């Protein structure tokens, strides 16, 4: 029996075989189609319950299977899983289009929408009805048959291109390995980086050597601490060249994505894809996004230029991109007498995780209890039952998957295996997952985090809390299903706690001595947080400006992606770009994720979270009344 076709409380990873996924998805889609047919062939008056609610809940099992497949693809990649994901995405996309482009179903939704006053709907139900009507229109339900067919074809192709883009980035990242025989070339590297490189070499059958990859726990220490500029240059160039001119070529994929998204937007009646996307966001228009980013650019560029001049003064010559992290760390050490090598021993992963959990307890009365009986998809994963101890209420499951590995995509993210909702009077709690790429423990050292890693953990934990604390009636309204430029607020505001003495004192203890992180170090962390902030802000603006320009420019005018990128980012560039490298070809957020025309949201949410956390600072950072507002 297929375990995914049986009733299960949590995904039965210990029983699933790859061949189970498509069979289960086909069955679930078939069952959903029968339910949808009932809506299409209603013999009674269409109502909120027999149309809108039925549509809302028809996707439940499909979403669980689809999210499981895509999470496994991003965390446990294999060629077979890629094929499964391709097939599953095509099936889910085709089914979605079958519903959202069906004129008969749309008429039923429209009838409910026009007669909404008859149904005595509450606020949440009215919101769901508005969203459902809106989504049908925005997906093309009112189009003629020819245009509907074009939308279907575009959606399938975009889905396949998105998956291929991400696959290429992962494969290009994994392909590159820097092999070093002479340890003298690695002067400056901290012990933990050398240990990891030596263990990786042994694992790859090359004992006595040192291997480095483009995965963050390997890449970052080398470009930050290695005295050998030639090695730093090689690594930075290798990272920048991913999917540029190699076998994992993404430039043509980018051009196809831009053209298809532009075509889709125009068929739906929008000037460009950015206008289509931003209609449902706080920023509302491309002009507002550009104005927002331009204002920050004007305020920050001179500070970025000052940051680079500071690096050049120390180096004694112009800095290259492979010099920035190296000389920044040296100046930071000189100015604040602090660096990651000093701080890392105080940020052991297990304690940092426990500190994040304690923070959630102090704010929201949450308790995280590890549960080893729940199946895991990888041995690195830990699983926790989450409870609201004040209300004695079960809040859901949290999976944590923290260590970098070759089968995992780079970066960090939160995802879910199951949404939160209420159905037939029963509340269903969410199953949430945090995925990061932190350093793996070595034989002699536990996983020690940089301070930026600590912020990353708190950031993704904030996303998880957003869903774990959700108490909505409908899955499409729960948790992170909010305005896209608001969705980063719950995550970014959590980073503020990791800067607070009261919070750091919960978990920042030396992994060997047990000593608490000294107060003077905490003050230095705060003082150094704005160090190189001009350059860091400019880097974020570069991504945001590039993104919004991609999706407001006529793609027919973009002949060469490299030239387009260089032209758009010229005004945010304070260090010349590297020949043979690009940001765009590995810009997974917008070409493989959901951030197309939305990357600005990180900066947008920074403004929101600064105001929100100021309220906590004025009234106590663990003030539960404010936390529960």
């Amino acid at each position: 029996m297929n375990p995914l076709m049986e009733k299960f409380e949590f995904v039965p990873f210990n029983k699933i075989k790859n061949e189970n996924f498509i069979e289960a998805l086909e069955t679930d889609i078939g069952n959903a189609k029968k339910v949808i047919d009932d809506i299409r062939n209603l013999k009674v008056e269409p109502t909120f319950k027999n149309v809108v609610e039925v549509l809302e809940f028809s996707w439940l099992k499909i979403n669980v299977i689809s999210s499981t497949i895509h999470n496994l693809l991003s965390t446990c990649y294999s060629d077979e899983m890629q094929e499964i994901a391709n097939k599953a995405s095509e099936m889910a996309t085709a089914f979605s289009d079958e519903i959202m482009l069906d004129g008969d179903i749309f008429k039923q939704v429209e009838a409910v929408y026009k007669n909404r006053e008859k149904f005595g709907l509450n606020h949440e139900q009215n919101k769901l009805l508005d969203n459902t009507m809106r989504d049908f229109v925005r997906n093309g339900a009112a189009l003629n048959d020819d245009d509907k067919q074009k939308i279907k074809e575009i959606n399938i192709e975009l889905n396949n291109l998105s998956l291929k883009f991400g696959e290429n980035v992962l494969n290009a990242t994994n392909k590159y390995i820097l092999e070093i025989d002479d340890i003298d070339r690695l002067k400056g590297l901290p012990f933990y980086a050398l240990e990891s490189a030596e263990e990786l070499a042994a694992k790859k059958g090359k004992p006595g050597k040192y291997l480095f990859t483009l995965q963050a726990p390997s890449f970052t220490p080398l470009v930050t601490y290695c005295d050998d500029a030639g090695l730093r240059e090689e690594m930075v160039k290798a990272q920048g060249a991913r999917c540029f001119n190699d076998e994992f070529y993404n430039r043509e994929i980018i051009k196809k994505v831009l053209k298809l998204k532009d075509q889709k937007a125009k068929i739906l009646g929008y000037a460009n894809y950015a206008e289509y996307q931003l209609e449902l966001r706080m920023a509302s228009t491309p002009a507002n996004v550009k104005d927002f980013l331009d204002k920050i650019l004007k305020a920050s560029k001179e500070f970025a230029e000052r940051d680079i001049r500071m690096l050049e003064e120390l180096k004694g010559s112009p800095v290259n991109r492979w010099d920035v992290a190296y000389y920044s760390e040296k100046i930071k050490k000189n100015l604040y007498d602090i660096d990651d090598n000093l701080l890392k021993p105080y940020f052991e992963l297990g304690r940092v995780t426990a500190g994040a959990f304690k923070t959630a307890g102090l704010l929201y009365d949450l308790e995280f209890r590890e549960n080893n009986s729940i199946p895991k998809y990888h041995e690195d994963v830990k699983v926790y039952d989450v409870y609201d101890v004040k209300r004695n209420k079960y809040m859901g499951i949290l999976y944590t998957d923290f260590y970098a590995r070759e089968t995992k995509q780079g970066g960090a993210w939160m995802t879910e295996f199951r949404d939160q909702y209420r159905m037939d009077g029963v509340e269903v709690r969410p199953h949430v997952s945090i995925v990061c790429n932190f350093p793996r423990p070595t034989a002699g050292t536990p996983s020690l985090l940089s301070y930026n890693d600590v912020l990353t953990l708190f950031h993704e934990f904030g996303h998880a809390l957003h869903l774990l604390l959700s108490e909505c009636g409908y899955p499409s309204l729960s948790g992170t299903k909010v305005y896209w430029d608001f969705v980063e607020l719950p995550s970014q505001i959590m980073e503020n706690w990791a800067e607070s003495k009261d919070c750091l004192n919960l978990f920042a203890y030396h992994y060997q001595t047990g000593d608490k992180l000294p107060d003077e170090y905490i003050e230095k962390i705060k003082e150094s947080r704005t160090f190189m902030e001009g350059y860091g802000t400019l880097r974020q603006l570069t991504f945001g400006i590039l993104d919004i320009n991609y999706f407001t420019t006529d793609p027919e005018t973009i002949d060469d992606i490299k030239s387009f990128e260089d032209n758009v980012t010229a005004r945010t560039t304070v260090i010349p770009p590297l020949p043979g490298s690009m940001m765009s070809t590995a810009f997974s957020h917008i070409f493989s994720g959901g951030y197309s025309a939305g990357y600005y949201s990180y900066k947008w949410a920074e403004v929101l979270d600064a105001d929100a956390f100021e309220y906590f600072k004025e009234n106590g950072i663990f003030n539960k009344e404010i936390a529960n507002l």
Side-chain angles (χ1 to χ4, degrees), residues 222-242:
L222 191 141
V223 300
T224 304
Y225 298 108
C226 184
D227 294 334
D228 190 323
L231 293 183
R232 299 198 310 271
E233 177 181 0
E234 184 172 343
M235 287 289 279
V236 169
K237 284 184 173 179
Q239 185 194 54
R242 288 176 301 165

Side-chain angles (χ1 to χ4, degrees), residues 275-339:
E275 183 178 275
Y276 170 72
Q277 288 287 80
L278 292 166
E279 182 181 51
L280 301 183
R281 297 182 181 177
M282 296 174 74
S284 73
T285 69
N288 288 342
V289 171
K290 290 182 177 181
D291 182 59
F292 171 72
L293 295 174
D294 284 345
K295 286 178 179 177
I296 302 176
L297 176 59
K298 289 176 183 176
S300 60
K301 188 168 184 179
E302 65 176 288
F303 293 99
E305 292 170 339
R306 184 191 64 183
D307 289 343
I308 297 304
R309 287 196 299 271
M310 180 173 57
L311 302 184
E312 290 175 342
E313 287 174 8
L314 177 61
K315 183 184 178 186
S317 62
V319 296
N320 299 294
R321 291 184 182 266
W322 55 86
D323 295 321
V324 174
Y326 178 77
Y327 286 103
S328 293
E329 197 69 11
K330 288 190 174 300
I331 294 175
K332 182 178 174 182
K333 176 70 173 175
N334 291 338
L335 287 177
Y336 304 103
D337 193 26
I338 197 168
D339 63 11

Side-chain angles (χ1 to χ4, degrees), residues 479-535:
T480 56
K481 315 299 195 309
V482 294
Y483 281 125
W484 194 274
D485 32 17
F486 179 88
V487 77
E488 293 298 334
L489 171 60
S491 55
Q492 290 188 183
I493 195 173
M494 281 304 298
E495 295 180 27
N496 291 279
W497 272 270
E499 298 179 19
S500 164
K501 174 183 173 180
D502 290 342
C503 182
L504 287 167
N505 283 343
L506 297 175
F507 63 86
Y509 291 84
H510 198 285
Y511 81 98
Q512 290 175 314
T513 66
D515 293 339
K516 184 179 72 172
L517 181 69
D519 288 350
E520 63 185 277
Y521 287 8
I522 297 175
E523 289 305 310
K524 289 175 180 178
I525 288 174
K526 292 179 179 178
E527 292 171 4
S528 65
R529 283 291 287 146
T530 57
F531 176 67
M532 293 291 293
E533 182 65 19
Y535 181 79

Side-chain angles (χ1 to χ4, degrees), residues 309-465:
R309 287 196 299 271
M310 180 173 57
L311 302 184
E312 290 175 342
E313 287 174 8
L314 177 61
K315 183 184 178 186
S317 62
V319 296
N320 299 294
R321 291 184 182 266
W322 55 86
D323 295 321
V324 174
Y326 178 77
Y327 286 103
S328 293
E329 197 69 11
K330 288 190 174 300
I331 294 175
K332 182 178 174 182
K333 176 70 173 175
N334 291 338
L335 287 177
Y336 304 103
D337 193 26
I338 197 168
D339 63 11
D340 273 335
N341 287 332
L342 187 67
L343 294 174
K344 272 198 168 198
Y346 294 92
F347 296 139
E348 187 270 318
L349 175 57
R351 288 195 174 188
V352 176
T353 305
F357 291 169
K358 288 178 184 177
T359 302
L362 291 168
L363 288 168
Y364 308 111
D365 296 306
L366 296 182
E367 186 175 282
F368 297 77
R369 305 171 188 170
E370 188 168 1
N371 188 337
N372 291 314
S373 67
I374 296 176
K376 308 169 184 179
Y377 60 83
H378 192 278
E379 61 183 8
D380 291 344
V381 175
K382 292 186 176 183
V383 190
Y384 302 86
D385 288 315
V386 186
Y387 291 89
D388 181 329
V389 292
K390 185 176 182 179
R391 295 187 294 167
N392 192 30
K393 180 178 180 179
Y394 173 71
M395 299 301 288
I397 292 174
L398 175 68
Y399 298 81
T400 63
D401 182 358
F402 285 144
Y403 299 134
R405 53 181 177 267
E406 290 182 355
T407 59
K408 185 191 287 187
Q409 290 181 2
W413 62 92
M414 185 281 289
T415 187
E416 68 268 0
F417 293 105
R418 186 173 78 183
D419 284 313
Q420 179 273 319
Y421 56 91
R422 288 187 294 273
M423 189 175 184
D424 298 327
V426 176
E427 183 168 18
V428 177
R429 298 306 305 168
H431 296 174
V432 187
S433 177
I434 301 175
V435 184
C436 298
N437 275 277
F438 296 146
R440 189 173 289 278
T442 64
T445 310
S447 178
L448 301 178
L449 305 188
S450 69
Y451 184 65
N452 280 336
D453 288 337
V454 175
L455 295 177
T456 296
L457 191 153
F458 270 72
H459 179 105
E460 300 306 333
F461 185 57
H463 280 309
L465 290 176

Side-chain angles (χ1 to χ4, degrees), residues 133-140 268 270 276-277 279-280:
M133 182 66 179
R134 176 204 70 196
D135 290 346
F136 268 90
V137 173
R138 281 175 52 82
N139 280 280
L268 293 168
Y270 298 85
Y276 170 72
Q277 288 287 80
E279 182 181 51
L280 301 183

